Amino acid sequence: PFLMAEAGLIPGWGALVERFEKEAEAIQGDILYILGRAGDHRIIPFLKRILSRPCSGEVKESAEEALDMINAQ
């Protein structure tokens, strides 16, 4: 899987990153929201990779919003 290799690279967020690809799009959006609200800059590369791959507009929008939340802190 595309993003699972990153799970161990992001301390504290590995479990959510690992679950991301296994979940339905609605849950993926929730995961991205949680990551954005947490405000941890270490998650930015993960969010950017989501934006660079094919996925639904809703997931992309959630990733963009998560980046905006992190950058606003």
Side-chain angles (χ1 to χ4, degrees):
F2 182 74
L3 299 169
M4 285 206 23
E6 298 198 29
L9 301 177
I10 307 168
W13 301 112
L16 283 177
V17 170
E18 187 174 327
R19 292 291 315 170
F20 182 83
E21 288 188 319
K22 299 175 184 176
E23 297 296 340
E25 288 181 1
I27 302 300
Q28 288 179 344
D30 292 342
I31 290 171
L32 294 171
Y33 176 79
I34 291 166
L35 294 173
R37 290 285 295 172
D40 189 335
H41 284 80
R42 294 175 296 176
I43 205 73
I44 289 175
F46 171 74
L47 296 172
K48 287 183 176 181
R49 277 187 273 296
I50 291 169
L51 291 171
S52 71
R53 72 183 194 145
C55 59
S56 76
E58 293 168 0
V59 171
K60 283 194 185 284
E61 182 179 340
S62 295
E64 289 169 351
E65 289 173 358
L67 276 172
D68 289 345
M69 283 189 268
I70 292 170
N71 289 326
Q73 293 185 5

